[in-house]
Amino acid sequence: MKLESSPYKVVEALKSDKKDIMRFYKSQQYSARFIGKDHCYIVKLNNKIVASVILSAGQVCGDYWLLHGLVIDKVMRGKKIASVILQAIINSEHLGDKFKKIICFADVALQGLYKKNLFVTYNSTAEIKTLPQELKQRFKRYQSKQPNLHCYLYSKDTGFSSHK
């Protein structure tokens, strides 16, 4: 998906942004935390965070990164900021080599957003079995509390854009 130019600029958060990021999540009634080898990307408007996402390798740095905490300020929703963030991560020259496989757990209602941004549904039992143990356990734990939760995968290596 190629987005027309956007007024929103995605930047990698600095350590000094961490408190503001956690305040942003709290203000949006979203429970987010850093889980290991994290990279956080934010969008600011008038020096205020209006969107954030975290990519985590977890405790074992492998090929898979977990995309979580993709939150847009309630008053800014509907402006395609989530797509701008996803595309910035996928299309960035220096990030693209690092984030070859990105896994995301999201409600099925967000399937359109992820599919438009080159993620595929990666939800079958066989597909889930291929995930690293840490992600597999996390998905099963989350899904037990949220039955509409689906797993989505972006893979740079295979160009999954037309799969499923």
Side-chain angles (χ1 to χ4, degrees), residues 29-120:
Q29 287 84 46
Y30 189 87
S31 176
R33 62 188 178 108
F34 297 98
I35 60 176
K37 298 175 183 74
D38 305 293
H39 294 266
C40 184
Y41 298 90
I42 56 176
V43 174
K44 286 185 175 183
L45 195 60
N46 298 325
N47 216 21
K48 180 184 172 215
I49 296 173
V50 297
S52 181
V53 68
I54 303 169
L55 281 152
S56 300
Q59 301 309 308
V60 180
C61 195
D63 290 339
Y64 289 89
W65 288 80
L66 177 64
L67 182 140
H68 59 106
L70 177 56
V71 176
I72 311 303
D73 187 294
K74 289 175 179 132
V75 299
M76 298 297 292
R77 292 182 186 163
K79 300 180 185 300
K80 300 186 178 178
I81 298 173
S83 288
V84 170
I85 291 172
L86 292 172
Q87 288 301 306
I89 291 166
I90 289 168
N91 293 322
S92 173
E93 293 290 322
H94 71 284
L95 298 179
D97 289 338
K98 181 180 276 193
F99 304 129
K100 289 184 179 181
K101 291 182 181 175
I102 301 172
I103 287 290
C104 174
F105 309 139
D107 192 282
V108 70
L110 295 171
Q111 182 171 320
L113 167 69
Y114 288 102
K115 284 193 170 193
K116 277 191 257 179
N117 288 287
L118 306 178
F119 283 73
V120 295

